[in-house]
Amino acid sequence: MNRILIIEDEVKTANSIKQGLEENSFLTETAYDGNSGLRLARKGNYDLIICDVILPGQNGKEICRSLRAEQIHTPVLMLTALNSVSDKLEGFDSGVDDYLSKPFEFRELLARVRALLKRHPQIVQTATILKCADLELNLDTRKAVRSGRTIDLTLKEFALLEYFMQHANRVLSKAELAERVWGIDFDTGTNVIEVYVNYLRKKLEAEGAPRLIHTEFGMGYILKDQA
C-alpha cells in the first residue's frame, strides 16, 4: 500500500485530501507547516509527497530543493495558486515532479497521484556513466563533463539531458519529453520544452563545441553525434 505525505497548512484542505486518499486505499500522514513537513519527508519512507507552495516555515520549493540536495528523490506533487510559467520553471528546477493548480477537483489530484506513482521508481539504470561523443553524464555524482569541461546543470536540465542520453539516436517528441521528464499531465501547450532544450544547448555548446541536440522539424529532438 502506497504511503503519501501531505504538507498543507490549510487544515480543511489537508484533511479533505487525506480523507479522499484514504478512501482510495492510500496510507497518509499530514504536516501543517514546512519545517515539520521536511522533517517527516527526511525520515519517512514515502512513495509520494503532496506539498503546498506557500507554507509557514520553509516553503514548498525550499523543501523540495533540500530533499533533492540530500539525494531524496521521492516524487513531489506541488499544489499552487502561482500559475505563471516562471513560477513553474523555478519549481521544476527545485526538483518538483508535477504541479496542480488551486482550486482543483479531487479526481484530478487522484489522477496525478496515480500517474506519478506509476512513474516511480523511474527507469532502472543499467550504467552509472552515460556517454555520447565527448559528453559524459555521471548518474552517481550527478556531474556532466564535455571534453574535460564540467557543465553546471540545474536539476531539471540534468533530468532532461539524462533522458536524452538514455535514448540517444532516437527522435523524442515534445509530448514524450513532457511526460517522462515533467509529468504526464504537464501542459505541452507552453514553450517550456523549447526553453529547456535551448538552455541545454547553450551549456553543451559553450566554447564552440559541436551541437549534439538536433531539431527534427515537426517531430521533436534527437541527441546524436554527427561527427
Side-chain angles (χ1 to χ4, degrees), residues 164-182:
F164 268 122
M165 295 188 73
Q166 287 170 334
H167 301 85
N169 301 308
R170 180 166 77 81
V171 176
L172 305 176
S173 68
K174 293 178 184 178
E176 179 177 351
L177 292 172
E179 176 182 348
R180 298 299 183 181
V181 181
W182 276 269

Side-chain angles (χ1 to χ4, degrees), residues 3-222:
R3 299 181 67 237
I4 298 177
L5 173 62
I6 303 163
I7 309 175
E8 168 62 71
D9 65 315
E10 296 178 5
V11 176
K12 184 177 180 180
T13 300
N15 291 342
S16 177
I17 294 172
K18 179 180 177 68
Q19 180 181 345
L21 290 174
E22 291 180 347
E23 288 174 355
N24 282 274
S25 301
F26 293 102
L27 295 174
T28 67
E29 285 190 73
T30 307
Y32 299 103
D33 65 83
N35 294 335
S36 58
L38 180 57
R39 284 195 297 272
L40 285 174
R42 281 171 168 159
K43 68 180 182 179
N45 184 25
Y46 300 103
D47 299 292
L48 178 70
I49 298 170
I50 298 173
C51 185
D52 194 13
V53 172
I54 301 173
L55 293 163
Q58 298 194 59
N59 65 43
K61 294 174 186 176
E62 291 169 337
I63 291 172
C64 196
R65 194 174 292 112
S66 295
L67 293 176
R68 300 306 185 238
E70 296 168 23
Q71 301 300 307
I72 298 173
H73 299 293
T74 309
V76 175
L77 172 60
M78 193 71 75
L79 307 180
T80 181
L82 306 174
N83 295 318
S84 72
V85 171
S86 60
D87 286 322
K88 291 185 176 181
L89 287 175
E90 182 182 352
F92 286 129
D93 280 342
S94 71
V96 174
D97 293 273
D98 196 8
Y99 268 100
L100 181 58
S101 298
K102 292 183 174 183
F104 55 84
E105 293 188 26
F106 179 77
R107 60 181 179 175
E108 182 179 3
L109 180 141
L110 185 60
R112 289 176 185 254
V113 164
R114 286 173 171 162
L116 284 171
L117 290 172
K118 186 176 180 180
R119 291 171 54 214
H120 184 76
Q122 296 180 344
I123 299 169
V124 175
Q125 307 295 349
T126 57
T128 58
I129 298 180
L130 303 176
K131 297 181 180 181
C132 180
D134 56 349
L135 174 65
E136 291 188 1
L137 193 68
N138 190 310
L139 304 181
D140 290 332
T141 63
R142 314 293 287 181
K143 298 290 186 182
V145 177
R146 187 169 192 190
S147 295
R149 175 176 59 88
T150 299
I151 302 170
D152 185 24
L153 299 173
T154 66
L155 288 169
K156 192 54 66 175
E157 288 169 353
F158 187 96
L160 180 58
L161 181 57
E162 179 181 355
Y163 194 78
F164 268 122
M165 295 188 73
Q166 287 170 334
H167 301 85
N169 301 308
R170 180 166 77 81
V171 176
L172 305 176
S173 68
K174 293 178 184 178
E176 179 177 351
L177 292 172
E179 176 182 348
R180 298 299 183 181
V181 181
W182 276 269
I184 193 168
D185 292 310
F186 186 75
D187 181 8
T188 56
T190 71
N191 67 341
V192 171
I193 305 298
E194 293 94 329
V195 168
Y196 270 89
V197 168
N198 285 333
Y199 287 165
L200 272 182
R201 280 175 170 163
K202 288 179 180 178
K203 292 184 177 183
L204 296 178
E205 296 168 19
E207 301 181 7
R211 174 157 292 188
L212 290 177
I213 300 176
H214 306 272
T215 301
E216 295 288 331
F217 292 101
M219 299 174 64
Y221 303 97
I222 183 170

